[in-house]
Amino acid sequence: MSESKTYSCVIIEDDPVFAKLLAKVVNRIPDLKLVGSYSDTVSSAMNVLRVKPEIIFLDINIHGLEGPEMLHLIDYQPETIVISSHPPDIMNDYNIEYTAFIQKPLKSSEQLHEAIEKCIGNIEKSA
């Protein structure tokens, strides 16, 4: 991971326990800065448009619009880590670009770290 750049991220997750776990992991990574955590897609869409985070942790089934529908409301493509209790093939139902898929419950933080590193790598390549 880069030593000089900090990447902004938001968590959009309606399970308070999982959102807290994600925030704890994110806050331990020096390259990431958590700029918001939201439990519904309506308030998150407005705030994402305002702060334009580089990385979004996005729950699929969430209050308001489904997570992928919310992505269609924003005017840029952040690196997106999709989070769901469903298996990965649920993404066949959605037409969105995403960097990584994480299935709940999280079995180890290593999978999350790998997804974050992939996002950062993609951001650095496109810079």
Side-chain angles (χ1 to χ4, degrees), residues 9-13 19-20 23 34-40 43-44:
C9 65
V10 297
I11 296 170
I12 304 170
E13 169 63 59
K20 194 174 197 173
L34 184 60
V35 295
S37 185
Y38 309 98
S39 60
D40 70 274
S43 63
S44 67

Side-chain angles (χ1 to χ4, degrees), residues 71-101:
L71 281 182
H72 292 294
L73 298 177
I74 61 176
D75 60 359
Y76 76 107
Q77 180 63 50
E79 293 295 319
T80 304
I81 299 172
V82 172
I83 302 163
S84 180
S85 57
H86 299 285
D89 63 356
I90 190 173
M91 295 312 295
N92 296 337
D93 296 339
Y94 302 102
N95 183 26
I96 63 164
E97 290 184 39
Y98 62 97
T99 307
F101 182 93

Side-chain angles (χ1 to χ4, degrees), residues 18 82-88 101-107 111:
F18 196 75
V82 172
I83 302 163
S84 180
S85 57
H86 299 285
F101 182 93
I102 294 180
Q103 188 170 2
K104 296 187 271 186
L106 188 64
K107 292 175 178 69
Q111 182 185 17

